[in-house]
Amino acid sequence: MHSIASRPNVQDEIGPRLPGAIYQNIDGRFEVLALITDPAEAAQLLRRSSARWAVIVRDTLRPDGIPFAVGSVWTTSDYLIRPARTAYAPAA
C-alpha cells in the first residue's frame, strides 16, 4: 500500500527564523526583520501563486543590506548565529 507523504509543518519549514534572529548559509548572513504567516500576503511578497509563509530579511554582510522576502525552507545548510529576540512581560 502506498502512503501519501504529509506536508511539512510550517514551523519546521521556517525553522528558528523569527524576528531578530540572524542565520547564515551559502548565500549570506541574514537578519530576520519580519515573519509573514498570512498565505495571501506571503504569496504576494514572494510573487508566487501560492505560499504559506515568507520571511523578510536583510543580508548583514552587504553594505547596502536592502530587505527582501525569502520563502526557502530551513535546511541543514542553514545555521543559527543569534536566536530571535524574546518578548519580556512587564514587571508587576
Side-chain angles (χ1 to χ4, degrees):
M1 174 174 260
H2 296 286
S3 64
I4 298 174
S6 63
R7 197 169 188 186
N9 179 304
V10 169
Q11 189 56 50
D12 291 339
E13 291 180 354
I14 296 167
R17 292 178 290 185
L18 300 173
I22 295 178
Y23 70 99
Q24 187 164 339
N25 59 31
I26 195 164
D27 296 321
R29 181 180 301 150
F30 305 99
E31 179 181 16
V32 178
L33 303 176
L35 170 62
I36 310 302
T37 56
D38 174 57
E41 187 176 354
Q44 185 177 23
L45 283 169
L46 296 171
R47 297 183 180 107
R48 297 182 188 164
S49 59
S50 67
R52 297 195 297 171
W53 55 271
V55 179
I56 299 175
V57 299
R58 72 176 182 91
D59 190 340
T60 61
L61 298 177
R62 296 182 62 104
D64 57 353
I66 298 169
F68 60 96
V70 297
S72 55
V73 300
W74 185 262
T75 69
T76 57
S77 66
D78 299 309
Y79 60 95
L80 190 63
I81 293 176
R82 180 182 79 193
R85 296 184 296 261
T86 56
Y88 296 101

